Amino acid sequence: GQQVMQIPQYQHVQEGEDFTTYCNSSTTLSNIQWYKQRPGGHPVFLIQLVKSGEVKKQKRLTFQFGEAKKNSSLHITATQTTDVGTYFCAGRHAGGTSYGKLTFGQGTILTVHP
Amino acid sequence: SQTIHQWPATLVQPVGSPLSLECTVEGTSNPNLYWYRQAAGRGLQLLFYSVGIGQISSEVPQNLSASRPQDRQFILSSKKLLLSDSGFYLCAWSDYPTVVGLYGYTFGSGTRLTVV
């Protein structure tokens, strides 16, 4: 079936270091979304990317959508302890009949050491 | 503004007992509704989704079922729980997507189910 692979599974960083998580799809995506789930909480929508090569920024977070619309990345500059959590990408595969249904990556668990 | 309510927050049920989890959305009409399960704090597994009243699509064959008796109400049920049904169950809604793109999901706070 259609899958979205996300790496790494875990990332431990020292506060102030940068962090990046990557998503790859075997098929072209219509769009990709990113979510953050704090420990013990529920996923919260961060952003959506739609256009090929699109780059969006939210303060220290930079989101990119690949030119072929098959991969995406989330980069956090100078991590803080408040960045701790699991980051998920989620994509909708182009041409699908399940209108609106997203496929989630497995998530990257980020821990930040103060 | 739109809100999503999910209850109960935690649940401990014996094997073989029935299950009913409820999710309601306020402040929107004709939402897409979803049930996800998250095991061991990791990936999100889509269980069911619904694009309208009485319209349910199942993603994973299992002993769970879903119903949508009203526009903004989504129920997850089981007649007999298994140990493997333990997990974190999340309800989510989104607006019906347009040609412009897909809207983000809004998740409920989830139900932590432990089957003993």
Side-chain angles (χ1 to χ4, degrees), chain B residues 11-19 80-87 112-116:
Chain B
L11 193 59
V12 180
Q13 292 284 97
V15 169
S17 64
L19 172 73
K80 289 184 178 181
L81 284 169
L82 307 173
L83 286 174
S84 57
D85 291 325
S86 293
R112 296 196 183 277
L113 172 66
T114 304
V115 182
V116 296

Side-chain angles (χ1 to χ4, degrees), chain A residues 9-10 31 33 35 37 40-43 45 48 50 86 88 92 98-102 104-109, chain B residues 32 34 36 38 41-44 46 49 59 88 90 96-105 107-109 112:
Chain A
Q9 292 186 23
Y10 305 92
N31 42 51
Q33 300 178 359
Y35 293 78
Q37 183 177 23
H42 57 275
F45 174 72
Q48 172 176 280
V50 178
T86 302
F88 292 98
R92 176 174 175 257
S98 300
Y99 206 41
K101 188 163 62 72
L102 290 172
F104 279 80
Q106 287 300 299
T108 296
I109 298 174
Chain B
N32 282 8
Y34 312 86
Y36 282 87
Q38 187 175 36
R42 287 306 312 278
L44 297 166
L46 178 63
Y49 71 97
E59 291 293 303
F88 189 39
L90 290 155
Y96 193 77
T98 68
V99 295
V100 174
L102 183 67
Y103 296 99
Y105 285 16
F107 284 86
S109 53
R112 296 196 183 277

Side-chain angles (χ1 to χ4, degrees), chain A:
Chain A
Q2 295 165 332
Q3 288 186 325
V4 174
M5 306 303 293
Q6 191 173 353
I7 58 169
Q9 292 186 23
Y10 305 92
Q11 187 73 58
H12 310 285
V13 300
Q14 203 69 28
E15 188 173 20
E17 293 181 338
D18 293 355
F19 158 76
T20 305
T21 175
Y22 301 90
C23 264
N24 287 286
S25 170
S26 57
T27 61
T28 303
L29 299 171
S30 296
N31 42 51
I32 195 158
Q33 300 178 359
W34 286 90
Y35 293 78
K36 176 183 178 181
Q37 183 177 23
R38 294 183 183 275
H42 57 275
V44 174
F45 174 72
L46 294 177
I47 208 163
Q48 172 176 280
L49 304 171
V50 178
K51 300 176 183 177
S52 170
E54 189 170 13
V55 178
K56 287 188 177 180
K57 292 189 176 183
Q58 289 179 351
K59 298 183 179 178
R60 294 178 293 104
L61 278 60
T62 302
F63 305 85
Q64 292 187 329
F65 200 12
E67 293 290 339
K69 300 183 74 172
K70 288 186 176 182
N71 57 76
S72 181
S73 65
L74 158 59
H75 179 82
I76 302 178
T77 304
T79 55
Q80 300 174 358
T81 54
T82 53
D83 295 326
V84 164
T86 302
Y87 292 85
F88 292 98
C89 61
R92 176 174 175 257
H93 294 276
T97 56
S98 300
Y99 206 41
K101 188 163 62 72
L102 290 172
T103 301
F104 279 80
Q106 287 300 299
T108 296
I109 298 174
L110 172 66
T111 55
V112 180
H113 299 287

